[in-house]
């Protein structure tokens, strides 16, 4: 075999190994974020992955992980100056809440949101978690609760 072809084959093999290592590393990072329970590291990313909801730029938030019931509860307030509520509802496939009383207990949930018909929700049940998100259109506030199964 010509030495020129050996170098090309060796270079291509090395490049293939590098690409495979990069893909494996990225996959490991995503799995690590999806399995995160705490509110410190990658909290928003974890919620976006598990609840399948986008969380844009926020001006305030709060989060708590209740280990006893394996549940994460979070609260996010969006900046309404550069935020389109109608598009957010459409993009995240939120549905209008029929009942005035959501069955989920949320962190920092203010009952004054129940006075108006501007609440939208999304629920999702997956293999590893069950989530419920509630969005107040007028205030630009999102509450999320994720119960992990493991």
């Amino acid at each position: 075999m010509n030495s020129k072809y050996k170098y090309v084959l060796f270079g291509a093999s090395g490049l293939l190994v590098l690409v495979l290592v990069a893909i494996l590393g990225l996959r490991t990072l995503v799995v690590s974020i999806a399995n995160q329970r705490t509110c410190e590291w990658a909290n928003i990313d974890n919620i976006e992955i598990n609840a399948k909801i986008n969380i844009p730029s926020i001006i305030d938030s709060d989060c708590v992980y209740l280990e006893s019931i394996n549940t994460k509860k979070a609260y996010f307030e969006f900046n309404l100056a550069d935020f389109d509520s109608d598009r957010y509802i459409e993009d995240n496939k939120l549905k209008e809440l029929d009942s005035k009383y959501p069955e989920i207990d949320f962190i920092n949930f203010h009952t004054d949101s129940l006075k108006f018909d501007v609440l939208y929700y999304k629920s999702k049940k997956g293999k590893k978690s069950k989530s419920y998100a509630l969005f107040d259109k007028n205030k630009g506030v999102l509450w999320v609760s994720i119960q992990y199964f493991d």
Side-chain angles (χ1 to χ4, degrees):
M1 184 181 238
N2 191 342
S3 67
K4 183 178 179 182
Y5 293 118
K6 285 182 187 178
Y7 289 123
V8 170
L9 185 60
F10 182 71
S13 299
L15 186 61
L16 180 63
V17 168
L18 264 167
V19 168
L20 289 175
V21 167
I23 290 172
L24 183 62
L26 191 58
R27 183 184 183 284
T28 302
L29 176 65
V30 170
V31 168
S32 174
I33 290 171
N35 291 333
Q36 189 61 239
R37 298 293 189 269
T38 67
C39 294
E40 287 81 35
W41 182 75
N43 181 44
I44 290 178
D45 296 324
N46 171 269
I47 291 170
E48 288 179 331
I49 290 171
N50 284 291
K52 302 286 189 236
I53 194 161
N54 181 42
I55 300 172
S57 181
I58 59 173
I59 57 174
D60 192 20
S61 70
D62 195 6
C63 177
V64 64
Y65 173 66
L66 305 168
E67 192 172 350
S68 61
I69 57 174
N70 204 18
T71 300
K72 181 187 284 192
K73 295 179 181 192
Y75 156 86
F76 302 98
E77 186 176 343
F78 306 141
N79 183 356
L80 293 177
D82 57 352
F83 180 73
D84 184 355
S85 295
D86 291 323
R87 182 170 179 147
Y88 184 77
I89 291 166
E90 181 182 327
D91 288 350
N92 288 287
K93 298 176 178 73
L94 301 176
K95 301 172 193 164
E96 195 166 352
L97 187 66
D98 296 334
S99 169
K100 288 281 189 186
Y101 304 99
E103 66 273 9
I104 308 293
D105 178 35
F106 293 105
I107 186 174
N108 294 338
F109 183 74
H110 303 292
T111 55
D112 58 335
S113 291
L114 297 172
K115 295 177 187 173
F116 307 101
D117 293 326
V118 292
L119 292 177
Y120 293 83
Y121 76 98
K122 180 177 189 175
S123 61
K124 179 197 157 294
K125 185 172 183 178
K127 292 179 183 177
K128 296 184 177 187
S129 66
K130 175 174 64 172
S131 67
Y132 192 85
L134 187 65
F135 176 65
D136 185 327
K137 180 180 174 181
N138 284 345
K139 295 181 181 169
V141 175
L142 176 71
W143 296 274
V144 181
S145 178
I146 301 173
Q147 181 181 17
Y148 301 97
F149 296 144
D150 55 358

